[in-house]
Amino acid sequence: MSQTMRGTPVADRSTSQRVIEAVAETTDSDPTEVGPLYHVVDPEALDNLFAPTPGSGRRGGQVEFTFAGCDVVVRADGSVEVSEREAGGGAVEDDRARAGTNRDRP
């Protein structure tokens, strides 16, 4: 299943919150059940990277990462695309390994 959140006003919710909501919707879960985003990416840095800019805005770029068993792409236009990964393996541990985080960290 692939989920794309387009046309959602960026100013209404932070990028990190929209990622959590899109993953929850794609996985048919409650946003509180998808796990902490900070295990794979710094939410504040993600929000700052895609914060509104004065003038013409961002012209391009994107960030891709794996979170809660999903591939996530955040684009410069503010869109968030989420696709569920194939089954097999622990999603949280896989997410931490891909992000290069310490698996022993809470």
Side-chain angles (χ1 to χ4, degrees), residues 5 9-22 37 43-52 58 63 65 72-80:
M5 294 182 71
V10 175
D12 287 352
R13 290 180 312 284
S14 68
T15 300
S16 58
Q17 183 61 41
R18 290 185 299 114
V19 166
I20 291 168
E21 291 170 357
L37 184 58
E44 186 176 341
L46 186 67
D47 293 341
N48 288 336
L49 184 61
F50 293 101
R58 289 178 179 74
V63 173
F65 54 93
V72 178
V73 179
V74 182
R75 293 194 169 77
D77 67 0
S79 65
V80 175

Side-chain angles (χ1 to χ4, degrees), residues 31-106:
T32 61
E33 297 172 349
V34 297
L37 184 58
Y38 65 80
H39 280 199
V40 296
V41 67
D42 181 336
E44 186 176 341
L46 186 67
D47 293 341
N48 288 336
L49 184 61
F50 293 101
T53 59
S56 62
R58 289 178 179 74
R59 298 189 192 281
Q62 64 186 38
V63 173
E64 299 179 35
F65 54 93
T66 302
F67 173 56
C70 296
D71 290 322
V72 178
V73 179
V74 182
R75 293 194 169 77
D77 67 0
S79 65
V80 175
E81 183 178 323
V82 176
S83 301
E84 269 189 300
R85 297 180 58 83
E86 296 294 319
V92 171
E93 287 195 21
D94 183 47
D95 292 346
R96 288 180 185 173
R98 290 181 187 283
T101 59
N102 182 345
R103 291 179 184 208
D104 295 328
R105 191 175 83 183

